[in-house]
Amino acid sequence: MGICLSKKSTRRTRFNSNRIAHQSSTTSINRWSRFRSSSVNSDNFDDAVIRGQAIAAALLYQQHQQNGDVLNFDRSVSVRRHSGRPKSLQSVSRSPSTQRRNSLIDPTQFSFSYQELNHDELETSHIVLVHGGGFGAWCWYKTIALLQECKFKVTAIDLSGCGIDLVDPNSIKSLSHYVKPLTDFLEHLTDGEKVILAGHDFGGACISYAMELYPTKVAKAIFIAASMVKTGQSTLDMFFNKENTNDLMRHAQKFLYANGHNQPPTAIDLDKSLLKDLLFNQSSPKDVALALVSMRPIPFSPVLEKLSLSKSNYGSIRRFYIETAEDNAIPIALQQIMIDESPPVKVFRLKGADHCPFFSKPQALHKLLVEIAKINKTEQLLPDSKDDF
């Protein structure tokens, strides 16, 4: 079978368990302020030229997305080359005592020949990209272009109150409201059509919710530096009382009180002066500038909502996790806790990736998405096995 953006790398396997549904809960504001972290070292991104370019890029992307056009991006912009040893990606199996591990070969350090990928051999070639908190479909612009070049069908969702969606984030009271654009999309798929869901950050909880509702329409689920909760947990629960966080997220959070300060917060905004260190510590200044003019507040209530998972629905779908080794928002140790508590089928690590690998490691992320798409539903994935690519 032809390979698009390939070379072989080692990966080990884990079997999956657990599942998800929907249930609301209330949690104190003080608990939220302990969610995620890092240390403060802010940079100033006031360059008017860069901001102008970012705004133009965002508008151009939105226009082409609405027209259904395929965008072609210069891949040289997305590649961050360094001297010395090649950057790498790793597939590992996990245990509670797992320490940080270095990876194998990072595909961004090599020139790749594009070959035809035999889509007839894939379970599905339709990938649905679900952004994280504060982001929108715009953040996937490099991933969309790379996947479409390999002839994948790609859908990038704007969740409610995100991207160019017109809903006020302060008005979103439930996870079901927040993920409605995703669930509406899945509901209207034709009979027998399946997709691969890929969720980033809080998008992990969103795709989990959708997996529980529409298990027959999801072939695989990919969690990219994402919240991967167990049944009965909320995203906030997953990050509460963990010792693997620091202070940057707490400093970056700015609560919004649309209903008055005597009422619970309605949304969380992030201090833009801290975003470089928090989310984009390995990303290019142009991508940071694009994010600064495009990110929106995060609805508060959905983060508090507990998910209820069933083995027959959520648990029936194969899950894959992509770790981001240089992540300051969801540190690698916290990612490994989620993996150990709810093991996916396989775990991959992107060395040199910050919290947003679609910016900092777009080609390496693309390669992993293609390789996961190529895994056949009948393929036996044995614990601790190694696959070179």
Side-chain angles (χ1 to χ4, degrees):
M1 179 172 64
I3 296 175
C4 187
L5 269 188
S6 72
K7 276 219 190 237
K8 296 201 169 182
S9 151
T10 302
R11 46 186 186 180
R12 299 176 189 166
T13 56
R14 294 291 302 267
F15 289 106
N16 71 344
S17 59
N18 293 345
R19 39 258 153 129
I20 306 194
H22 167 193
Q23 178 180 346
S24 63
S25 71
T26 56
T27 308
S28 71
I29 299 171
N30 290 335
R31 291 180 61 190
W32 170 255
S33 64
R34 300 179 59 183
F35 175 50
R36 301 187 192 165
S37 51
S38 183
S39 63
V40 179
N41 178 21
S42 62
D43 291 329
N44 185 11
F45 291 96
D46 293 331
D47 188 318
V49 174
I50 293 179
R51 284 178 177 271
Q53 292 174 341
I55 294 171
L59 293 175
L60 178 64
Y61 169 71
Q62 292 172 4
Q63 177 184 349
H64 281 268
Q65 185 185 46
Q66 290 168 352
N67 293 337
D69 297 337
V70 176
L71 292 180
N72 293 318
F73 295 94
D74 181 357
R75 278 207 283 293
S76 64
V77 174
S78 68
V79 178
R80 296 174 58 84
R81 298 185 181 275
H82 303 270
S83 60
R85 211 165 49 171
K87 293 292 180 182
S88 54
L89 66 95
Q90 181 184 30
S91 169
V92 292
S93 55
R94 298 290 176 209
S95 66
S97 62
T98 301
Q99 302 297 318
R100 292 185 63 173
R101 298 168 183 162
N102 291 329
S103 323
L104 299 176
I105 302 301
D106 182 345
T108 63
Q109 297 299 315
F110 298 89
S111 296
F112 295 96
S113 59
Y114 284 83
Q115 302 177 21
E116 288 298 322
L117 184 67
N118 189 347
H119 287 266
D120 292 337
E121 296 181 7
L122 302 181
E123 187 175 0
T124 178
S125 59
H126 189 174
I127 298 179
V128 178
L129 302 171
V130 182
H131 62 80
F135 291 89
W138 55 266
C139 73
W140 300 104
Y141 76 97
K142 295 178 183 178
T143 303
I144 292 169
L146 289 167
L147 288 171
Q148 288 179 336
E149 186 170 357
C150 286
K151 309 305 181 185
F152 279 88
K153 182 178 181 181
V154 188
T155 300
I157 300 288
D158 271 324
L159 298 175
S160 298
C162 303
I164 59 174
D165 184 84
L166 298 179
V167 173
D168 179 1
N170 293 284
S171 69
I172 298 172
K173 305 300 183 184
S174 66
L175 186 59
S176 63
H177 185 187
Y178 184 61
V179 303
K180 192 173 188 301
L182 174 60
T183 53
D184 284 351
F185 170 81
L186 293 174
E187 182 178 356
H188 290 96
L189 289 175
T190 59
D191 291 342
E193 184 178 0
K194 288 192 173 188
V195 299
I196 296 172
L197 291 182
H200 168 250
D201 185 77
F202 185 44
C206 298
I207 67 171
S208 299
Y209 180 89
M211 290 158 66
E212 177 63 27
L213 292 180
Y214 299 100
T216 62
K217 298 187 177 184
V218 182
K220 304 180 183 79
I222 305 172
F223 293 75
I224 306 168
S227 56
M228 187 172 64
V229 299
K230 299 187 298 182
T231 185
Q233 282 184 325
S234 69
T235 296
L236 181 59
D237 291 334
M238 186 63 246
F239 294 98
F240 178 59
N241 273 340
K242 301 298 183 184
E243 298 179 356
N244 301 288
T245 59
N246 42 46
D247 296 326
L248 185 54
M249 176 59 77
R250 184 169 61 223
H251 288 296
Q253 293 169 171
K254 296 196 288 188
F255 291 99
L256 304 181
Y257 297 86
N259 299 325
H261 285 272
N262 60 335
Q263 299 295 321
T266 52
I268 309 106
D269 207 355
L270 296 175
D271 186 340
K272 288 181 169 51
S273 70
L274 303 180
L275 288 186
K276 168 65 176 176
D277 289 323
L278 180 65
L279 305 177
F280 313 116
N281 49 296
Q282 301 295 319
S283 299
S284 72
K286 288 184 179 180
D287 285 327
V288 177
L290 174 62
L292 292 182
V293 299
S294 303
M295 293 187 71
R296 297 177 63 183
I298 306 164
F300 186 62
S301 294
V303 179
L304 304 180
E305 197 163 309
K306 296 182 183 293
L307 299 177
S308 178
L309 310 175
S310 67
K311 185 174 181 179
S312 58
N313 291 354
Y314 172 86
S316 68
I317 301 168
R318 289 169 297 167
R319 290 176 289 120
F320 300 82
Y321 200 98
I322 298 177
E323 295 179 340
T324 44
E326 306 300 325
D327 196 326
N328 288 337
I330 305 180
I332 190 68
L334 188 50
Q335 295 179 44
Q336 291 173 356
I337 287 174
M338 290 187 287
I339 289 165
D340 292 332
E341 292 185 354
S342 183
V345 171
K346 279 181 179 279
V347 177
F348 304 87
R349 178 178 295 185
L350 286 178
K351 186 178 177 182
D354 58 23
H355 185 60
C356 300
F358 40 78
F359 287 159
S360 60
K361 285 292 190 182
Q363 291 183 325
L365 174 62
H366 165 69
K367 181 180 180 181
L368 278 182
L369 295 177
V370 172
E371 291 300 325
I372 293 172
K374 286 165 53 183
I375 297 175
N376 193 284
K377 61 182 177 181
T378 60
E379 183 176 339
Q380 296 298 314
L381 300 171
L382 302 176
D384 300 323
S385 67
K386 296 182 180 180
D387 296 327
D388 294 331
F389 62 97

